[in-house]
Amino acid sequence: KVAKLSQHYIICGLGRNGREAALEFLRQGYPFVIIEMDPEVIEDFGHLHPDTLIIKGDATHEDVLEQANIHSSKGLISSLSTDAENVYITLTARGMNPHMKIVARASHENSINKLKRAGANQVIVPNLIGGRRMANQMTRPTLMEFIDLISGEGNPDLHLEDVEVTN
């Protein structure tokens, strides 16, 4: 099934952030494959979501990324627990598919530039986002309600989409 995927997403790591990304892809109906090393994590997620494609392996290895059909993928999320692993995956993935979008997780602000130099299009620092969101929830609650609304979290019946228009 994975070999037949095209224009799909790859999630490296099924920790807290990778799991949330996978659940969002499931909710939105986008094709994706997960790469995870921990058999217990794979079993737990696979039990709850049996149709999810999961590769047991180390996402820092090129052969595992090839199993995920990286050459025809649309994007990759690198959400492993260490910044060094995410830099390595980003660098490897960028070399294997220069046209894909890469979003990487960073634990520390000082890793943002390293991940961007390695080829990440976007870098997410969950602790920064969480703290800013909490402060904004206090100081600008109406704005946060609007953001929840347009992101689909506030009203499950309303969905806004990005549509690319070309000439």
Side-chain angles (χ1 to χ4, degrees):
K1 289 182 180 180
V2 175
K4 294 177 183 176
L5 286 177
S6 180
Q7 295 300 298
H8 62 290
Y9 297 97
I10 300 169
I11 299 173
C12 301
L14 201 49
R16 288 181 297 229
N17 298 122
R19 181 183 185 87
E20 287 301 317
L23 293 173
E24 187 63 19
F25 283 153
L26 283 170
R27 187 181 73 75
Q28 294 183 26
Y30 285 102
F32 69 98
V33 61
I34 298 167
I35 300 173
E36 173 58 50
M37 286 180 48
D38 188 331
E40 282 185 38
V41 171
I42 293 170
E43 186 177 332
D44 289 347
F45 194 85
H47 179 72
L48 293 172
H49 308 282
D51 295 332
T52 303
L53 300 174
I54 304 175
I55 296 171
K56 183 182 182 296
D58 185 343
T60 64
H61 296 168
E62 287 184 23
D63 61 323
V64 175
L65 291 171
E66 285 177 3
Q67 286 177 39
N69 208 5
I70 191 169
H71 299 291
S72 66
S73 65
K74 188 174 187 174
L76 178 139
I77 294 174
S78 186
S79 65
L80 273 69
S81 58
T82 71
D83 291 353
E85 288 174 309
N86 289 324
V87 167
Y88 193 80
I89 289 170
T90 299
L91 191 60
T92 304
R94 179 58 68 217
M96 296 176 78
N97 184 341
H99 306 291
M100 73 185 325
K101 181 172 184 175
I102 299 175
V103 176
R105 174 193 176 276
S107 297
H108 306 284
E109 281 182 80
N110 61 2
S111 296
I112 293 171
N113 286 334
K114 290 175 189 152
L115 282 157
K116 286 187 177 179
R117 281 195 308 269
N121 300 92
Q122 297 277 210
V123 179
I124 305 296
V125 184
N127 291 340
L128 287 180
I129 291 172
R132 289 176 185 159
R133 174 141 184 143
M134 288 189 285
N136 283 319
Q137 195 66 46
M138 291 297 235
T139 61
R140 299 189 278 186
T142 306
L143 174 63
M144 297 314 293
E145 285 179 34
F146 176 72
I147 289 171
D148 286 344
L149 180 68
I150 63 170
S151 69
E153 292 182 31
N155 180 351
D157 297 327
L158 176 67
H159 299 284
L160 296 179
E161 294 290 332
D162 244 356
V163 178
E164 187 174 329
V165 178
T166 59
N167 293 333

